[in-house]
Amino acid sequence: MSITPTQSQVEALAAMPAGEPVVMLNLLRFKEDADGIDAGMTGREAYGIYGQQTAPFLARVGGRVLHAADARQTVIGPDEWDMAIFVEYPSAQNFLAMATDPEYLKVHAHRDAALADSRLIACHSLALGG
């Protein structure tokens, strides 16, 4: 189960080209019952608090949610995810600025309380032509 990056993953993200937009694909699996600061509610409810309280930090670094969706049915692969969210940042460095902000880290406790597992995948947009 993974909900935090390794040091080498953070270093690789920091080494991405400056000024190049990055889209972070978040794959989320919620705990049935949140723990920590959100004990007494569901993981989904705790993640909702995280999302609301993260919005100002996201705006401050120029990020924006492109799309969020409940996972309905896995067609290929194991049934693991409850939600997928695509969040765009002006650069990986903007994402890291938010992720290391001491005030954001207080809000991040709601994410920790909510998630049983996650994947966070840095993506680069492609122009699909025709």
Side-chain angles (χ1 to χ4, degrees):
M1 310 298 172
S2 301
I3 64 168
T4 57
T6 65
Q7 184 62 35
S8 64
Q9 289 170 322
V10 171
E11 290 168 2
L13 187 62
M16 291 179 72
E20 182 177 285
V22 62
V23 175
M24 301 299 277
L25 167 59
N26 297 259
L27 298 175
L28 310 171
R29 183 163 26 108
F30 301 116
K31 295 174 185 170
E32 188 171 324
D33 298 310
D35 55 23
I37 65 171
D38 293 317
M41 62 179 64
T42 68
R44 184 178 289 272
E45 290 168 335
Y47 196 84
I49 293 169
Y50 166 74
Q52 290 172 345
Q53 292 186 7
T54 297
F57 296 97
L58 187 61
R60 194 172 302 142
V61 298
R64 65 188 179 117
V65 176
L66 297 177
H67 188 73
D70 280 328
R72 287 188 170 176
Q73 173 64 46
T74 300
V75 178
I76 298 174
D79 291 330
E80 293 184 3
W81 308 114
D82 295 316
M83 185 180 285
I85 304 173
F86 291 89
V87 183
E88 182 180 50
Y89 296 87
S91 70
Q93 292 73 26
N94 290 70
F95 168 80
L96 289 168
M98 183 186 85
T100 58
D101 180 314
E103 291 302 309
Y104 165 79
L105 292 173
K106 294 176 187 175
V107 171
H108 197 268
H110 294 287
R111 183 180 186 278
D112 292 341
L115 295 178
D117 198 5
S118 70
R119 297 296 181 272
L120 185 58
I121 304 167
C123 303
H124 176 73
S125 295
L126 298 175
L128 301 177

